[in-house]
Amino acid sequence: AEYMGYLIMSNKYDNRWRGLINFQNKQSPEEAYKLLGAFLASPVIILVILLILRINFAVSFVLMAMYLSIMALAYALWVLVWILKQDEGTYEMQKIARYITEGSEGFFVAQYGTISKLSIVFAVGIMIMYLTRTLPEELSQNISNIAMALFSGFGFLLGAISSAFSGYAGMWVSVRANVRVASSAQRCYNEAIQIAFKGGYFAAVINVALAILGVGLLFIMYYVYLMANLPPHILNDVDLNIHLHVPIEKIPLLMIGFGFGASFVAMFAQLGGGIYTKAADVGADLIGKVEHGIPEDDCRNPAVIADLVGDNVGDCAGQCADLFESISAEILSAMILGATMAQEAGFSYHEKVTFMLFPFALHCLDIFASTVGVHFVRTKPGLPEYDAEYGPIEDALDIMKKGYKVSGVIGILGFLALAYFLLSNSKANCWFNYACCGIIGCVVSFAFIEVTQYYTDYKCAPVLRIVQASRTGPATNIITGMSVGMESTGLPVIIIVIGLISSYYLGELSGIVNNKGLPIGGLYGTAIATMGMFCTGVFVLSMSGFGPIADNAGGIVEMSGQSEHVRAITDRLDAVGNVTKANTKGYSVGSASMACFLLFSAFIDEINFISPVKFTVVDITVPEVFLGGLLGSMCVFVFASWAISAVSNAAQDVIKEVKRQFKERPEILEFKAEPDYKICVEIVAKAGLREMIKPGLLAVLSPIVVGVIFKTLGNWQGKELLGAKVVASFLMFSTSTGILLALFLNNGGGAWDNAKKYIEAGAEGGRGSVAHKAAVCGDTVGDPCKDTAGPSIHILIKLLSTITLVLTPLFI
């Protein structure tokens, strides 16, 4: 009866996609090529239509980028259908996958219900602020307070909804790809890798495409509004080109609410998901492995389903929301800097548009380059167990790196072409300098991934030091892990310094000057370098999505009692998935560092745009300014403390529940009874929802409180812009501190995790040894560091920047 009921439920689910699956299956090679040809030709048709209709150049540019994003979504849907038509495995596999799906989607609905209420409150607060503030004279000529309030509130909600949807897409595909990877591991190594990687690819494309579509929609809305509100003498003059009179350079500053909405949702998504996943993981490991010596993902452990659910709501939904807001922040900050520079340099309308909208073209290139690279992620089909001539199994990380290198080459060549066609200028031959800035960004991205892999891969010396230290117990394991984490901050910071300073100098040497003859291209050079980091962003995010899918597949294989050779395949994928997740966290820190520098520069630009008193230097010899920076650093540490404490509190409840079940029902450990998985799921779900509020509100409210208090003091003492200066110092110190602490937490936690994995593979006595128990303790210390506090700090430093940008009028 249970089996029949499940089949009915599965068929209802399958029927939602049956039409697309049948359509894909019926395509002959000839029909498929025709469809592909029409698909690839459609952008040319759209371009011709735009030219015939004589649509304005700026609007046409954005519309083409949006159409290319829709094409990417269509292709991602095609990939999704391919994933869904793969075999779902045995009944036991499907049953466990259903538990994971129901737990993930249930928590997501509850979590985002809470986040949506908070989002509405802040959207209303933003609108009230703009309704009650006097807009600067330069801006009030084009837009009213009511329109500014409505657009800002709408932009915030659009960013929040887009971020939520990107997180949901990552979780949704993960809970459906996992069982298919588990099934394919029984018969084909290549198929298992491809399903897991393409599941990550689907979520990655959703991320980038939504960022382009969301920002593009806001741009067009603002453009149409500003054009409709031009003075009557311009609108009524048939001899004038009214598009040349639209102040497009003001639009990027008006759209920053989108980035704030994305950061706001990403913060709570990462916090709630991270608390959920690590509370379950720590509880399951300490009781299962240390006290009872049962394997990871053993079906006897009452916390194992909660642990597998956590991989999806934390590593998938949270990570997707994180990178979505990184991409959104990078697009908006680069547009602000490009528009400001073009206006100061006196560029023509065409040049102003291309410099400002360059991020749209870059992210379309990212999707194309990464999509090509995805097709190189493949190896020999089959398994050694069924083919005596198969040979050694190729490492999954090496397989993915082949595709990454292809994407990187296409990305660099494409960047050179885009720079030549879009960043050439009549006043300065600057395209080559900016192309070099983009290449620097690509190199920084690659270097970050390599350094992160060095400190977290068990093939490298730092992790092996932790393995060796595990021989003498948990204390030396933890001490060595902390030292590895601290050491791992060195090279990444040096890479950031070299990347930023070299791109800044190249921008300064571009020949772009203001009306006083001073070079002003440096900041835009750093913006181009940040964009260069994202020219293979879809591929990197695909590698990130691979990790939790492979992890879930391993859990399904273990819990469904599959043979050892199947578990060996999923263990290989899981081990590589840990490295790719760690690599993505390193990539996220690097991109966040570069993006925050841009956002800080944009904050200074907005202050100077709004205030008649100009502000160019943050002087930390002023006591109030220095104290603002100190408060910023403190905020990062308190935030991390609260996030880690939340995991500890929830993990204690999980441990108590698992112990209770083992004590009251000892037959569970003898496979004579099934544990109650739902209780542990409910414990961590409630903890995730409850504990995410306090650190989240600290992140949102701290810069507002600090800015308003020091603004009031400044007004009382007659110190102009004191509030803005203190907030600028708050941002500088919190960003610097956040980068270092995030690197320490991410890399230290990843190293502890892979030291445990290496011992479980047979080193130092293998499972159950003294070294293994020490490594499990170290891993449980590292879990909330690398999957809760560390990733949340990436978002924290960007959220602080975007919220101050949106609320700049409060501090002036």
Side-chain angles (χ1 to χ4, degrees), residues 25-229:
N25 287 337
K26 290 178 181 177
Q27 296 298 305
S28 66
E30 294 79 11
E31 291 172 331
Y33 282 123
K34 288 180 182 178
L35 188 63
L36 178 63
F39 183 72
L40 295 177
S42 62
V44 179
I45 298 171
I46 296 297
L47 180 61
V48 171
I49 292 172
L50 292 174
L51 291 173
I52 292 173
L53 295 176
R54 302 182 68 184
I55 303 295
N56 167 258
F57 177 62
V59 175
S60 296
F61 196 109
V62 174
L63 286 174
M64 277 302 302
M66 293 174 71
Y67 179 75
L68 292 172
S69 298
I70 293 171
M71 287 182 64
L73 291 175
Y75 182 73
L77 181 63
W78 188 263
V79 170
L80 175 64
V81 172
W82 178 84
I83 293 171
L84 292 177
K85 72 180 184 181
Q86 304 305 313
D87 180 63
E88 294 182 76
T90 65
Y91 164 66
E92 284 299 324
M93 286 182 173
Q94 295 179 46
K95 179 182 175 182
I96 295 160
R98 179 61 58 181
Y99 286 151
I100 297 169
T101 301
E102 290 174 353
S104 301
E105 294 184 345
F107 178 73
F108 188 92
V109 170
Q111 182 188 31
Y112 278 81
T114 302
I115 294 173
S116 64
K117 294 171 186 174
L118 293 171
S119 299
I120 291 171
V121 170
F122 274 86
V124 171
I126 291 170
M127 289 191 284
I128 292 173
M129 184 197 70
Y130 279 106
L131 280 172
T132 56
R133 300 289 299 183
T134 302
L135 294 176
E137 183 179 351
E138 187 179 355
L139 190 59
S140 61
Q141 297 172 359
N142 307 106
I143 189 168
S144 66
N145 281 66
I146 295 176
M148 186 70 187
L150 290 175
F151 275 124
S152 298
F154 175 77
F156 175 86
L157 291 176
L158 181 62
I161 292 169
S162 300
S163 181
F165 189 79
S166 67
Y168 180 71
M171 184 208 69
W172 190 94
V173 72
S174 176
V175 297
R176 286 157 177 83
N178 55 15
V179 68
R180 291 164 170 84
V181 173
S183 173
S184 61
Q186 300 174 100
R187 58 186 178 275
C188 183
Y189 181 57
N190 177 57
E191 186 179 311
I193 290 174
Q194 289 214 22
I195 294 172
F197 192 81
K198 287 183 177 179
Y201 169 80
F202 172 79
V205 171
I206 295 288
N207 262 21
V208 177
L210 277 180
I212 294 173
L213 290 170
V215 177
L217 175 63
L218 271 184
F219 181 89
I220 292 174
M221 288 174 62
Y222 268 117
Y223 188 93
V224 171
Y225 177 86
L226 291 175
M227 185 174 67
N229 284 273

Side-chain angles (χ1 to χ4, degrees), residues 6 55 151 297 308 368 506 533 574 619 745 779-780 796:
Y6 184 81
I55 303 295
F151 275 124
D297 299 328
L308 295 173
F368 173 75
L506 278 170
M533 284 196 70
D574 185 17
D619 186 359
L745 295 172
D779 178 42
T780 54
L796 171 69

Side-chain angles (χ1 to χ4, degrees), residues 227-516:
M227 185 174 67
N229 284 273
L230 287 172
H233 69 275
I234 295 178
L235 288 173
N236 297 329
D237 193 334
V238 295
D239 295 326
L240 284 177
N241 183 349
I242 62 172
H243 294 289
L244 299 180
H245 295 271
V246 176
I248 59 172
E249 68 279 355
K250 298 177 183 178
I251 295 178
L253 279 172
L254 303 176
M255 298 195 302
I256 199 64
F258 182 89
F260 178 29
S263 297
F264 185 87
V265 169
M267 168 61 68
F268 286 101
Q270 182 64 66
L271 272 173
I275 292 166
Y276 186 114
T277 182
K278 290 303 109 180
D281 195 5
V282 169
D285 281 358
L286 286 177
I287 298 299
K289 294 180 180 179
V290 177
E291 289 198 11
H292 293 278
I294 61 178
E296 185 171 359
D297 299 328
D298 192 289
C299 62
R300 293 169 289 177
N301 195 324
V304 69
I305 292 293
D307 184 12
L308 295 173
V309 169
D311 291 332
N312 297 293
V313 298
D315 290 334
C316 289
Q319 187 73 16
C320 285
D322 177 6
L323 285 178
F324 173 83
E325 65 100 17
S326 288
I327 293 166
S328 301
E330 174 262 321
I331 292 175
L332 292 168
S333 54
M335 288 177 68
I336 291 170
L337 295 177
T340 302
M341 183 191 71
Q343 185 70 9
E344 290 183 11
F347 283 0
S348 67
Y349 178 81
H350 185 279
E351 292 166 347
K352 190 185 297 184
V353 168
T354 56
F355 274 75
M356 181 175 64
L357 300 181
F358 187 76
F360 285 93
L362 186 280
H363 284 290
C364 291
L365 169 66
D366 168 22
I367 294 173
F368 173 75
S370 299
T371 300
V372 174
V374 165
H375 291 281
F376 287 84
V377 179
R378 58 178 63 249
T379 186
K380 291 184 292 185
L383 286 173
E385 283 74 15
Y386 307 126
D387 184 357
E389 299 179 359
Y390 187 89
I393 294 180
E394 188 176 4
D395 184 66
L397 188 60
D398 293 336
I399 295 169
M400 284 185 272
K401 280 189 172 182
K402 288 188 295 186
Y404 182 58
K405 290 173 183 176
V406 171
S407 296
V409 170
I410 295 173
I412 290 173
L413 294 176
F415 206 105
L416 288 168
L418 288 178
Y420 178 77
F421 288 107
L422 298 179
L423 300 182
S424 294
N425 179 257
S426 58
K427 296 187 177 183
N429 188 24
C430 57
W431 76 267
F432 184 74
N433 289 54
Y434 286 133
C436 291
C437 291
I439 293 172
I440 287 172
C442 295
V443 173
V444 166
S445 172
F446 182 78
F448 249 95
I449 290 173
E450 290 297 312
V451 169
T452 304
Q453 183 178 340
Y454 172 74
Y455 280 105
T456 58
D457 194 338
Y458 57 61
K459 298 176 183 176
C460 301
V463 174
L464 294 178
R465 292 208 308 267
I466 300 175
V467 171
Q468 186 176 11
S470 301
R471 299 172 184 170
T472 49
T476 48
N477 172 286
I478 292 169
I479 291 169
T480 307
M482 288 181 65
S483 73
V484 168
M486 290 178 180
E487 179 188 318
S488 72
T489 63
L491 285 175
V493 169
I494 293 172
I495 291 168
I496 293 171
V497 169
I498 293 173
L500 281 175
I501 199 68
S502 57
S503 58
Y504 181 84
Y505 285 157
L506 278 170
E508 288 286 278
L509 296 172
S510 64
I512 297 176
V513 296
N514 60 14
N515 55 11
K516 297 179 181 179

